[in-house]
Amino acid sequence: MRFTKSRWLAATSAAVFALAGFAAQAATPRYGGTLHVKLRASSVSLDPREWMTGSLSSAAGEKLASLVYDRLVTLDDHAKFQPGLATEWSHDATARNWQFKLRSGVRFSDGSLLNPSDAVVSLQIALGKGFEVVAIENGVAIRAAHPAPDLLEQLASGRNFVFRPLPDGTLLGTGPFFVAESIVAAPSEVNPAAIKPARIKFQANEGAWSGRPFVDFVEVALGEPPLRQLLDLQVGKADITEIAPDLVRKGRQEGLRIWNSAPRTLVALRFDDALDAPASDQLREALWLALDRDTMANVLLQREAQPADSLLPQWLSGYAFLFESAMNLQRARELRAAFPAGVPGATQPLRLRVDASGDLFKLMGERVAVNARQANLLVQVALPGSVSNSSAAATGLHLFAWHYDSLSSRTELEAFVKQLLEGGDLPANTTDPEQLCAQERRLLDERRILPLVLLPEYAGIRANVHNWNASPWGDWRLADVWLDSEDPMTTKAPAGPQKNTSTARSPGARP
């Protein structure tokens, strides 16, 4: 079967219509008010240069950074690229040389004009080696060392925002909001033993090229526990919250309005390279066959996850349906019975370190240990911060969570190879889905990474929130949201996009 770019876009478009969220209600939009958002991450960085590819904390940072910064291009709900800071683009026949014309008259939040050198500085850092970004008249040129037919997917996602760094560490953006206030976590005045969560207050950017957002402010509270977020949504203390996968069913049973994205996070196992071969080959195969992914997704996660047979999800790659990882407990036991003496997992337990924090991942680690025991394999779970988890030498296996940052399947697969397998770059000619499929199959056959489940993102949206239209790949588009006028949590605001001077204008975002 041949895979083409149009096939990838068709898969993305299908995901959009299947998971697009909530349509805008038939009511008159209004300006004003404060949108209250609560996130689980205890801290975030608004500096794209600091984000670690694949990390859950960087995912939260990207969500908030989209309030402050813009990208050259965007991807719409019909899987078509639309102008952002760039109004036109073109490339040569090799897809190695690209040109982008910048939108004229765009200003940063301090009123200064965007110029090509700003895009050069930020995009060169984001794209990294293999790309050269240079300023040209009215725009930028991007030259790739190898064909880059997926460059638009890269530029429409991940850390590829355009910003201007200032000497004091502030980053200026051209987005619909700017940071008006940032408060770090601190002990409560009433109860010093309790910690008040960190908060970031974003104010509407009156001069945004894309138009003034509807709400005056977006106030974000960080470090809120999952159950607290759910309760705050129910009692009206929050307008939008993250919902943990294991609380989604509870929220739906209580009549909450819940949105979900396409799968954005992979939960998987990774073997240490220190394990001796060929004994480790038998161990990897036995554990792979012992894993009950269906039970993990359908029972442990109450059908709010998908069993993972591949490294990349179907909506991103377009070929994930070709992979299959059926459980075969009998074959796993046969492999275990043939283990030579001294193999980890036989007479001595294989230490499983849970790299991701949270009760959900602890339960996933314990389920892996149960599955292993059914195949007569010994796996001992070591949680983050525990004494038993402090020695890397005693660890042979890791449970980790990987967040998909990019809309480019090649970029995402290459990040796996670099960061998790330490295998360098993919072959330079790996540019189309057929070649990517072959590379991913090779990686899966090595059994160094064992996919478990794919998790969507979930958000609870209060009834007073209108025009929620988040993308399937996780962009929340909060600039499009507006609030009911009668809601007691909102502040009084002007009837139209008038200047709001209630808060002093900050020069930009401080990471």
Side-chain angles (χ1 to χ4, degrees):
M1 177 180 292
R2 180 168 179 79
F3 302 103
T4 63
K5 178 60 67 177
S6 61
R7 184 179 184 87
W8 183 92
L9 291 174
T12 305
S13 182
V16 168
F17 289 111
L19 299 168
F22 301 98
Q25 291 89 340
T28 303
R30 63 176 294 276
Y31 287 85
T34 299
L35 181 70
H36 295 268
V37 178
K38 298 200 172 186
L39 303 179
R40 290 194 299 273
S42 59
S43 64
V44 297
S45 170
L46 296 180
D47 188 343
R49 300 169 298 182
E50 296 180 352
W51 298 343
M52 181 179 295
T53 302
S55 72
L56 298 181
S57 60
S58 295
E62 183 182 341
K63 261 189 183 59
L64 299 185
S66 65
L67 299 176
V68 181
Y69 316 120
D70 291 306
R71 296 185 173 100
L72 290 186
V73 296
T74 63
L75 189 66
D76 67 17
D77 285 351
H78 301 283
K80 296 184 181 298
F81 292 102
Q82 299 296 337
L85 292 178
T87 57
E88 300 175 17
W89 53 86
S90 61
H91 62 81
D92 63 6
T94 67
R96 293 177 57 184
N97 299 293
W98 293 71
Q99 290 192 355
F100 296 85
K101 180 180 179 180
L102 290 181
R103 189 180 299 275
S104 63
V106 175
R107 294 183 180 275
F108 287 102
S109 58
D110 68 345
S112 61
L113 281 170
L114 168 73
N115 59 63
S117 63
D118 296 311
V120 169
V121 170
S122 48
L123 292 178
Q124 185 64 76
I125 295 172
L127 291 172
K129 69 175 185 177
F131 292 91
E132 180 187 8
V133 187
V134 297
I136 58 175
E137 185 179 3
N138 299 324
V140 295
I142 300 178
R143 300 162 185 162
H146 305 288
D150 61 343
L151 181 59
L152 292 180
E153 284 97 330
Q154 295 184 54
L155 294 175
S157 58
R159 69 184 67 209
N160 294 289
F161 290 104
V162 174
F163 52 82
R164 177 187 292 170
L166 298 181
D168 65 353
T170 297
L171 301 185
L172 294 178
T174 60
F177 294 90
F178 62 91
V179 176
E181 188 178 22
S182 181
I183 303 174
V184 299
S188 170
E189 297 86 352
V190 179
N191 179 13
I195 299 297
K196 294 172 61 177
R199 294 179 180 274
I200 306 176
K201 190 172 188 177
F202 299 88
Q203 183 175 336
N205 181 4
E206 306 285 348
W209 67 269
S210 55
R212 186 202 192 278
F214 286 108
V215 298
D216 293 332
F217 302 98
V218 176
E219 190 169 297
V220 180
L222 302 172
E224 296 282 9
L227 188 56
R228 171 65 62 83
Q229 289 193 51
L230 189 68
L231 294 174
D232 285 348
L233 189 68
Q234 291 174 307
V235 301
K237 291 184 178 181
D239 298 312
I240 298 174
T241 69
E242 292 180 308
I243 303 291
D246 51 334
L247 293 177
V248 170
R249 174 174 291 187
K250 175 179 173 61
R252 286 179 174 150
Q253 289 173 343
E254 295 176 1
L256 295 179
R257 181 183 172 198
I258 296 179
W259 163 89
N260 66 276
S261 71
R264 291 299 309 276
T265 299
L266 171 69
V267 182
L269 299 173
R270 178 172 62 87
F271 280 95
D272 281 348
D273 292 334
L275 292 178
D276 294 331
S280 69
D281 294 337
Q282 296 171 292
L283 172 62
R284 295 167 201 248
E285 185 71 18
L287 185 57
W288 171 260
L289 294 171
L291 295 171
D292 188 352
R293 298 166 184 81
D294 289 335
T295 296
M296 292 179 189
N298 298 327
V299 178
L300 186 63
L301 292 166
Q302 304 175 26
R303 299 185 182 275
E304 302 300 340
Q306 298 176 13
D309 300 319
S310 58
L311 300 178
L312 303 183
Q314 173 66 24
W315 70 268
L316 180 56
S317 71
Y319 57 70
F321 69 95
L322 294 174
F323 298 107
E324 184 178 1
S325 51
M327 180 183 183
N328 188 336
L329 197 56
Q330 180 59 38
R331 176 57 182 160
R333 289 169 176 164
E334 292 173 357
L335 289 170
R336 162 63 184 89
F339 277 10
V343 174
T347 57
Q348 295 295 323
L350 180 69
R351 190 68 56 86
L352 168 58
R353 190 177 79 188
V354 180
D355 291 339
S357 61
D359 292 340
L360 173 62
F361 298 108
K362 173 185 175 183
L363 291 174
M364 291 290 296
E366 292 172 348
R367 175 59 60 174
V368 169
V370 169
N371 287 166
R373 190 160 55 246
Q374 292 172 332
N376 300 321
L377 296 169
L378 299 178
V379 172
Q380 183 180 26
V381 179
L383 300 177
S386 67
V387 175
S388 60
N389 197 25
S390 60
S391 174
T395 303
L397 191 62
H398 302 259
L399 185 142
F400 68 94
W402 178 273
H403 179 81
Y404 300 110
D405 296 317
S406 179
L407 293 174
S408 163
S409 50
R410 175 192 162 86
T411 299
E412 204 63 57
L413 192 60
E414 191 164 59
F416 266 103
V417 174
K418 285 182 177 179
Q419 293 191 214
L420 298 178
L421 300 176
E422 300 179 356
D425 298 330
L426 291 178
N429 63 348
T430 309
T431 58
D432 66 43
E434 284 183 288
Q435 295 167 334
L436 287 171
C437 181
Q439 289 295 328
E440 185 169 343
R441 186 177 295 280
R442 177 184 63 81
L443 294 173
L444 288 169
D445 287 346
E446 291 176 355
R447 300 286 190 259
R448 294 169 66 191
I449 291 182
L450 309 183
L452 298 178
V453 297
L454 290 163
L455 295 173
E457 291 179 352
Y458 293 92
I461 302 98
R462 199 160 166 249
N464 68 308
V465 177
H466 294 262
N467 203 36
W468 172 266
N469 187 30
S471 74
W473 43 91
D475 292 340
W476 279 9
R477 301 172 180 171
L478 298 184
D480 297 334
V481 163
W482 56 277
L483 302 171
D484 282 336
S485 59
E486 67 274 11
D487 193 88
M489 287 182 61
T490 64
T491 59
K492 295 205 173 185
Q498 304 171 8
K499 183 75 173 177
N500 187 310
T501 58
S502 60
T503 302
R505 190 183 187 95
S506 169
R510 187 175 295 278

